[in-house]
Amino acid sequence: MRLRRCGADAVLVELGSLGEVAAVRAALAAAADRGELPDLVELVPAARTVLAGFRPGSGGQRRLRAVLDRADLEHPPAERPRRVVLPAVYDGPDLQLVAETAGVSAAEVAELHSGAEYTVAFCGFAPGFGYLTGLPEPLRQPRLDSPRPSVPAGAIGVAGEFTGAYPRSSPGGWRLIARLSPDAEALFDPRREPAALLAPGDLVRFEVAR
């Protein structure tokens, strides 16, 4: 674990794995709830880091090291995650490619993907885009050799150990296996509070749309 100052009021915690990121995020959130980090205003996890932002001028970041020294990252505090169900239609343009690579049928890809429960590890790339862990091993496949210049909003893809859905149209290189059902709640809506549907720590399941 390495700590780096980010400006006057934030600290970047560098870690070695997604598991450590989740543990540190949970430990800092729990410490804030207990009043040990009263000036913590933002936690931003990524693939190997957690950014902790504090109220400007509070000096709250000086308490961070003591909290981390006491944290048991192998047994992080228990959380009560929010559960989100996203209805999905499994007809993506790369569905057959993923099936052939995995050595299963297209129907089995849908069954594997919709049968797993995922955790939002972190958000990024685009507003509302959640990187979800928990992807079944056969579906852990590389990105496309050539990214698409435009991926439609709602497309659901896989890349490496992650799966996720595109909140809006954008370039992208993930293998697309499905799309969100038209009645799915928007992944990002600036008129909503919070604007992003998914947040780190949420549990997500894709449900085959009927």
Side-chain angles (χ1 to χ4, degrees):
M1 183 188 302
R2 178 181 297 178
L3 274 61
R4 296 183 181 274
R5 289 290 297 271
C6 290
D9 301 294
V11 177
L12 187 70
V13 185
E14 295 183 340
L15 300 153
S17 69
L18 277 171
E20 290 182 2
V21 167
V24 165
R25 182 194 59 77
L28 296 182
D33 290 342
R34 294 193 301 267
E36 296 176 28
L37 294 172
D39 298 306
L40 181 69
V41 294
E42 188 173 34
L43 282 175
V44 184
R48 296 293 184 269
T49 61
V50 177
L51 180 69
F54 295 85
R55 187 172 293 106
S58 67
Q61 70 273 22
R62 290 192 290 269
R63 303 185 181 94
L64 186 67
R65 169 62 77 176
V67 171
L68 290 174
D69 286 345
R70 296 194 305 271
D72 181 356
L73 300 189
E74 293 187 2
H75 304 90
E79 298 184 286
R80 294 182 178 178
R82 192 170 60 101
R83 296 180 181 272
V84 180
V85 176
L86 298 175
V89 179
Y90 286 86
D91 60 358
D94 302 316
L95 179 61
Q96 194 59 43
L97 170 63
V98 171
E100 291 174 358
T101 304
V104 299
S105 68
E108 287 172 312
V109 170
E111 184 177 350
L112 283 168
H113 190 264
S114 62
E117 185 172 63
Y118 304 96
T119 300
V120 181
F122 57 96
C123 298
F125 169 66
F129 189 98
Y131 287 77
L132 313 182
T133 58
L135 189 66
E137 189 65 39
L139 305 185
R140 299 184 184 187
Q141 301 183 14
R143 290 168 169 78
L144 296 173
D145 292 336
S146 298
R148 290 182 171 89
S150 180
V151 173
I156 300 168
V158 297
E161 63 185 305
F162 299 111
T163 187
Y166 288 75
R168 58 182 61 182
S169 178
S170 67
W174 289 29
R175 297 187 179 194
L176 305 179
I177 61 172
R179 57 185 168 87
L180 293 178
S181 172
D183 59 352
E185 189 172 356
L187 294 174
F188 185 79
D189 183 350
R191 299 163 298 182
R192 186 179 60 202
E193 181 58 41
L197 177 64
L198 304 179
D202 287 350
L203 296 180
V204 178
R205 187 170 59 83
F206 292 94
E207 183 178 78
V208 178
R210 303 298 180 187

